């Protein structure tokens, strides 16, 4: 994004016109990161479509061309999500502390939740390669995939030294499975593993833990057991159980 400040102003103005929309949008030269609670009940007809159109129109690229829209759960409007709409610029979408620029489009293979589930189950029977939790310690302590190894960081910028240490002596042809909350940290970690450390088979979970939990709730085969254990730590209020009932004021 050549001019993040201008994009910020245009996007905030446009999103503000969608009644009751809340969430956070961060813009930087390297791209965009957004999490939004969009009203979708009958009285808000077209709100989701309008939101998607705003990003497609006001950004200098189609944000959904290579990354599918990560639609979350439909919840009652009383469920805590975000307090208000915030659109801000940053020097980086995710502060990483790296000195060198990396190609974020070369970050390993994105693995669907179903395939991830199958591969982690197979890995439990026959461990190979590395299985790394790319979140911070306070997040890993709340919940983690069965068999995963937390990086043990306090902030994301500590990841690089820890990755160099964890991968020392590991065959670069060995698979490395990586995951985080929603997937954005794994883009940077995957790029580092491939471009800086030379790993050839980096496998990152599509849409992160959020995507896996949604898949497990909707499509996990009967009698199968989720490979996720515990709670998915979130940085906002999106910590809730999804009921089977949906009210007339869903968001």
């Amino acid at each position: 994004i050549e001019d993040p400040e201008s994009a910020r102003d245009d996007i905030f103005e446009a999103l503000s016109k969608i009644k009751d929309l809340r969430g956070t949008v961060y813009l930087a030269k390297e791209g965009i990161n957004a999490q939004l609670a969009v009203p979708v009940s009958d009285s808000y007809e077209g709100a989701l479509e309008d939101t998607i159109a705003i990003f497609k129109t006001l950004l200098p690229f189609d944000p959904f061309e290579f990354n599918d829209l990560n639609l979350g759960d439909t919840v009652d409007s009383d469920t805590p999500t975000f307090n208000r709409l915030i659109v801000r610029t940053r020097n980086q979408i995710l502060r990483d502390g790296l000195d060198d620029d990396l190609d974020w489009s070369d970050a390993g293979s994105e693995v669907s939740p179903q395939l991830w589930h199958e591969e982690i189950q197979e890995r439990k029977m026959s461990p190979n390669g590395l299985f790394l939790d790319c979140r911070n310690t306070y997040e890993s302590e709340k919940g983690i995939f069965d068999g995963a190894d937390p990086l043990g960081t306090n902030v994301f910028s500590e990841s690089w030294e820890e990755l160099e240490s964890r991968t020392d002596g590991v065959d670069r042809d060995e698979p490395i499975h990586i995951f985080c909350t929603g997937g954005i940290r794994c883009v940077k970690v995957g790029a580092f593993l491939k471009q800086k450390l030379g790993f050839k088979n980096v496998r990152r979970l599509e849409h992160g833990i959020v995507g896996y939990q949604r898949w497990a709730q909707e499509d996990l085969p009967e009698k199968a057991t989720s490979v996720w254990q515990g709670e998915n730590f979130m940085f906002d209020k999106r910590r809730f159980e999804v009921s089977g009932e949906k009210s007339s004021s869903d968001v």
Side-chain angles (χ1 to χ4, degrees):
I1 301 175
E2 187 65 28
D3 188 351
E5 288 76 15
S6 178
R8 173 200 61 201
D9 295 343
D10 292 344
I11 289 172
F12 180 77
E13 180 180 2
L15 291 178
S16 296
K17 295 177 181 177
I18 299 178
K19 184 181 178 183
D20 293 333
L21 182 145
R22 301 185 298 273
T24 57
V25 181
Y26 297 114
L27 296 145
K29 286 186 178 293
E30 67 180 359
I32 181 172
N33 184 24
Q35 305 86 32
L36 298 169
V38 183
V40 294
S41 63
D42 292 341
S43 58
Y44 296 94
E45 184 178 359
L48 179 59
E49 292 76 10
D50 290 346
T51 301
I52 294 171
I54 286 169
F55 290 112
K56 286 188 172 184
T57 303
L58 297 180
L59 289 171
F61 54 88
D62 181 353
F64 310 113
E65 182 178 0
F66 301 108
N67 297 283
D68 293 336
L69 179 65
N70 187 6
L71 284 174
D73 301 298
T74 303
V75 299
D76 188 275
S77 59
D78 294 331
T79 301
T81 53
F82 303 93
N83 291 326
R84 58 195 175 101
L85 174 64
I86 297 173
V87 183
R88 292 177 177 165
T89 57
R90 286 180 166 180
N91 292 331
Q92 291 180 302
I93 290 300
L94 178 61
R95 296 182 182 92
D96 54 40
L98 287 170
D99 296 326
D100 299 324
D101 292 334
L102 296 175
D103 179 2
W104 306 132
S105 66
D106 181 23
S109 301
E110 198 169 46
V111 180
S112 70
Q114 179 178 347
L115 182 56
W116 178 269
H117 178 85
E118 294 169 0
E119 291 184 359
I120 300 311
Q121 290 280 34
E122 292 173 2
R123 193 180 185 281
K124 289 167 61 178
M125 301 297 293
S126 180
N128 66 323
L130 298 176
F131 185 15
L132 302 177
D133 181 353
C134 300
R135 302 170 301 153
N136 295 315
T137 297
Y138 57 86
E139 299 169 87
S140 303
E141 289 175 345
K142 292 290 185 179
I144 196 168
F145 280 107
D146 190 14
D149 188 13
L151 285 185
T153 55
N154 294 307
V155 293
F156 184 59
S157 58
E158 296 176 357
S159 299
W160 321 119
E161 184 176 345
E162 191 63 35
L163 285 168
E164 289 175 344
S165 174
R166 298 293 182 93
T167 60
D168 184 34
V170 177
D171 188 334
R172 268 37 185 173
D173 290 322
E174 287 287 316
I176 297 188
H177 288 80
I178 57 175
F179 67 92
C180 57
T181 304
I184 188 170
R185 277 178 280 189
C186 283
V187 171
K188 294 199 169 188
V189 169
F192 183 84
L193 286 168
K194 284 200 69 183
Q195 298 168 43
K196 289 293 185 181
L197 300 185
F199 282 91
K200 301 175 183 177
N201 188 11
V202 177
R203 309 185 65 74
R204 52 190 174 90
L205 174 58
E206 181 183 27
H207 299 322
I209 302 162
V210 172
Y212 178 84
Q213 289 185 314
R214 185 184 311 123
W215 171 82
Q217 182 183 45
E218 297 174 355
D219 299 314
L220 185 68
E222 187 176 353
K223 297 184 179 180
T225 302
S226 171
V227 292
W228 172 260
Q229 300 175 342
E231 175 188 348
N232 182 19
F233 182 94
M234 305 292 283
F235 289 96
D236 47 56
K237 297 180 180 180
R238 294 172 294 164
R239 301 174 190 153
F240 46 78
E241 295 295 329
V242 181
S243 67
E245 299 295 325
K246 297 177 182 177
S247 77
S248 61
S249 57
D250 296 331
V251 296

